[in-house]
Amino acid sequence: MTPEHTQAPTQPPFSGTAVGPCTLVIFGGSGDLARRKLLPALYNLLLDGLLPPNYAVIGFGRVPCNHDEFRALARDGIEQFSRQAIQQDRWEDFAQRLSYITGSSDDPQAYQALRTQIETVEKQFALPGHRIFYLAVPPNVFASSCQVLHQAGMVDPPDHPTRSSRVIVEKPIGHDLESAREINATIGKVFHEAQIYRIDHYLGKETVQNIMVLRFANSIFEPIWNHKYIDHVQITVSEEEGIGARGLYYEQAGALRDMVQNHILQLLALIAMEPPYSLDPEVVRNARMEVLRCLRPIRGKTAEEMTIRAQYAHGTVRGQDVPGYRRENDVRPDSTTETYVALKCYIENWRWSGVPFYLRTGKAMPRRASEIAVQLKDIPEILFNTTPHPRQIPNLLTLRIQPQEGMALRIMSKIPGSRVNTHPVEMNFNYGDAFSAPSPEAYERLLLDVMAGDASLFMRRDAVEASWAWITDILQGWEAHGTRWLPEYPAGTWGPIQSDRLIETDGKKWRVV
Ligand code: BG6
């Protein structure tokens, strides 16, 4: 499929507000997220001419670092992880706007030093006091960070006439409903909801943003987008990596908390939401939120019927030996943390009544792939579908989030020849073929939106809590069951047999992604 107009849009599609001069303060400034994602994202925005002409970036963190060492760390991160290569003149321009303050989140003196640095760079670069605080730190320091920011007088109220303050928080926002509420309440004491940007980096992915465009900028999908035509939906997010060095975190999380509570439920919300009546951030967020509210609860014993969890055992992924999960560093030898989860759920509203949504995600799987597959119903048993063999294969719309971003539509076609035999074929659209420019990274788009004050792609407090409420029911169902052992799947395979049964008892099959 080739697009008729491949001209790249000059503006991000939903971002209506101009990006003004600002000061970005990264807590955890020398950490992994800053080095791998945030600093490269800022640099790419600069190269693409999307950063405001006036800006400054201050790293703040416990790791001792002076300004030059921070610049060296940024350069190293950009050289390794940036989408676009270093251009010496642009780099120098960028580097002079980077600085670093060493300090910890419970040290008021460090915050005074930070405040002084903010004021210094704001004077130096004639910045008007629009401040963005990125909390790239573990959630247990969210509270103290917000509190000290407040005490040091660095947070302005949302109605301040000339300055603005915004805060960006990363997941995990809690490990269940109660802890999520606590974190939200803590941040809420210092920042107004309109100033809080909760990141779900999946929402910043180009192909995820395209879900809304696909659904609402085309006329062919919406009429069939309901229980009358759609048989079921599958959402798969599979990863090749095991848990690597993240054992400590992962042991407390598991696949349901790590991937389903946030990324996969957001994909589900985008696929299932009602058409919003405008692109206003609140209208769009309300539409996504409604889906979460309509999810049929999975409680008590139902949790064991509607979900399958498992752990990877020793195996190989792409020829590499992978130890079993229980042998990974920082993992208990009797751990029951799931590295794979599959579940079936229903959205109880008029549009989706009776349509099962199957969700699955896992670590140490054969291939990295995120996709949403929408399978249409069988055609009636007349004309080409009168005999059980061969049956006509139902239409399938596949949205490939990553890799090989694109979309495919499976249709039946006549095999050339004098007899009428049919065969499924695919109409395929590949981002890479259709648009020459590489897609920006999720963090580029998300940082830009915070600068513009556009919260469409961020998680609102009620949405985070609604998804935690649904997930917490499942977690409690699991806890009540008191599992001491989980089914295993060898690393490099598609999950346990029980997961196949979950879908096959409904007469359907997981897609081969
Ligand atoms: C993160 C999870 O939120 O998303 C990780 O904590 C996971 O466990 C990652 O690997 C996946 O993101 P992506 O963009 O690589 O699909």
Side-chain angles (χ1 to χ4, degrees):
M1 236 188 245
T2 356
E4 287 186 10
H5 304 285
T6 54
Q7 194 187 343
T10 49
Q11 282 283 319
F14 309 144
S15 197
T17 325
V19 176
C22 63
T23 312
L24 174 67
V25 181
I26 306 175
F27 290 68
S30 54
D32 222 36
L33 185 71
R35 196 172 67 90
R36 296 166 74 102
K37 297 284 183 191
L38 306 182
L39 293 161
L42 289 165
Y43 177 72
N44 280 296
L45 289 174
L46 172 76
L47 290 192
D48 290 348
L50 294 169
L51 269 195
N54 255 1
Y55 66 93
V57 180
I58 304 174
F60 178 75
R62 275 183 309 176
V63 177
C65 211
N66 61 29
H67 300 326
D68 282 339
E69 284 164 341
F70 182 56
R71 289 174 191 136
L73 174 141
R75 185 169 175 130
D76 176 63
I78 292 166
E79 278 170 353
Q80 281 191 58
F81 303 107
S82 166
R83 178 166 73 75
Q84 304 179 76
I86 290 266
Q87 294 175 19
Q88 194 52 31
D89 54 333
R90 307 311 305 278
W91 160 252
E92 275 158 23
D93 181 31
F94 186 64
Q96 56 146 335
R97 284 163 189 272
L98 304 181
S99 59
Y100 188 87
I101 295 293
T102 306
S104 93
S105 58
D106 47 12
D107 176 3
Q109 274 185 353
Y111 276 79
Q112 285 311 331
L114 177 61
R115 190 193 164 113
T116 308
Q117 180 63 11
I118 293 176
E119 287 166 356
T120 307
V121 296
E122 286 181 345
K123 211 160 157 203
Q124 183 185 354
F125 298 112
L127 293 164
H130 298 315
R131 295 164 186 174
I132 299 171
F133 303 103
Y134 199 124
L135 303 188
V137 289
N140 59 352
V141 285
F142 286 174
S144 53
S145 308
C146 290
Q147 204 44 46
V148 194
L149 273 176
H150 177 61
Q151 282 160 2
M154 284 188 264
V155 182
D156 289 309
D159 55 359
H160 191 283
T162 54
R163 296 198 302 257
S164 67
S165 303
R166 294 175 186 150
V167 66
I168 308 179
V169 278
E170 276 281 339
K171 70 176 265 263
I173 298 173
H175 56 270
D176 58 9
L177 178 58
E178 203 187 320
S179 53
R181 280 186 177 143
E182 265 168 38
I183 290 177
N184 282 332
T186 310
I187 303 171
K189 281 189 196 136
V190 175
F191 290 93
H192 185 273
E193 180 62 25
Q195 299 174 302
I196 305 172
Y197 292 76
R198 296 177 191 82
I199 289 229
D200 183 320
H201 78 280
Y202 263 58
L203 290 177
K205 288 183 192 274
E206 198 65 35
T207 35
V208 173
Q209 292 165 48
N210 197 35
I211 297 174
M212 268 184 70
V213 176
L214 175 87
R215 288 191 56 198
F216 307 127
N218 294 294
S219 57
I220 60 168
F221 300 114
E222 207 41 32
I224 56 163
W225 214 254
N226 56 54
H227 67 102
K228 288 188 199 142
Y229 297 95
I230 291 180
D231 180 78
H232 75 278
V233 177
Q234 295 185 19
I235 303 182
T236 302
V237 179
S238 63
E239 297 184 277
E240 289 172 11
E241 292 81 25
I243 51 124
R246 295 170 78 217
L248 278 181
Y249 157 76
Y250 204 84
E251 268 290 88
Q252 307 303 318
L256 187 71
R257 289 184 174 98
D258 186 48
M259 296 297 289
V260 181
Q261 181 272 331
N262 35 68
H263 310 322
I264 295 187
L265 286 188
Q266 285 306 307
L267 295 180
L268 177 79
L270 281 164
I271 274 294
M273 72 200 239
E274 294 302 313
Y277 65 83
S278 85
L279 292 176
D280 176 89
E282 289 320 306
V283 176
V284 175
R285 298 206 292 179
N286 285 343
R288 293 206 305 260
M289 170 71 196
E290 289 299 314
V291 176
L292 301 175
R293 286 225 171 99
C294 294
L295 278 170
R296 183 192 295 170
I298 299 181
R299 294 199 179 112
K301 275 205 340 233
T302 331
E304 292 297 328
E305 292 155 23
M306 304 285 269
T307 71
I308 299 296
R309 48 195 166 132
Q311 271 176 354
Y312 60 84
H314 172 253
T316 46
V317 178
R318 288 201 185 265
Q320 299 284 320
D321 205 51
V322 179
Y325 175 68
R326 289 177 170 196
R327 304 192 132 228
E328 297 274 23
N329 286 340
D330 300 318
V331 171
R332 283 169 295 129
D334 59 350
S335 168
T336 53
T337 301
E338 78 288 354
T339 61
Y340 174 95
V341 65
L343 61 88
K344 174 162 94 163
C345 62
Y346 288 93
I347 297 167
E348 299 207 301
N349 63 14
W350 192 279
R351 182 188 288 266
W352 295 113
S353 179
V355 178
F357 285 74
Y358 300 94
L359 320 179
R360 63 176 165 162
T361 182
K363 301 269 185 207
M365 311 217 68
R367 238 189 322 284
R368 174 175 187 248
S370 302
E371 68 150 57
I372 304 173
V374 179
Q375 180 158 325
L376 281 96
K377 291 200 163 161
D378 278 325
I379 56 163
E381 292 180 355
I382 54 170
L383 303 176
F384 301 106
N385 221 15
T386 45
T387 56
H389 301 291
R391 290 287 283 192
Q392 300 302 310
I393 298 174
N395 296 135
L396 181 82
L397 179 69
T398 318
L399 313 182
R400 296 187 302 268
I401 309 291
Q402 63 189 22
Q404 277 121 34
E405 292 85 354
M407 193 191 104
L409 180 63
R410 182 174 72 199
I411 51 174
M412 295 304 289
S413 171
K414 179 179 175 304
I415 302 173
S418 50
R419 304 176 68 182
V420 179
N421 286 328
T422 60
H423 190 74
V425 293
E426 269 200 349
M427 293 169 70
N428 217 336
F429 152 67
N430 271 319
Y431 260 75
D433 300 339
F435 302 102
S436 49
S439 297
E441 287 281 326
Y443 280 95
E444 294 174 36
R445 171 61 196 263
L446 295 171
L447 282 168
L448 200 63
D449 279 5
V450 182
M451 291 178 197
D454 183 338
S456 312
L457 300 178
F458 294 83
M459 304 286 297
R460 213 167 53 192
R461 175 178 186 159
D462 53 0
V464 169
E465 292 178 9
S467 66
W468 268 122
W470 192 72
I471 292 289
T472 302
D473 280 342
I474 300 177
L475 290 167
Q476 286 173 350
W478 286 354
E479 243 166 61
H481 197 76
T483 306
R484 290 174 47 204
W485 174 87
L486 290 185
E488 291 182 332
Y489 58 100
T493 63
W494 285 108
I497 184 101
Q498 290 84 339
S499 157
D500 295 339
R501 284 195 209 120
L502 176 81
I503 189 165
E504 284 168 12
T505 46
D506 294 344
K508 310 177 200 305
K509 264 188 162 326
W510 288 117
R511 253 182 60 73
V512 178
V513 294

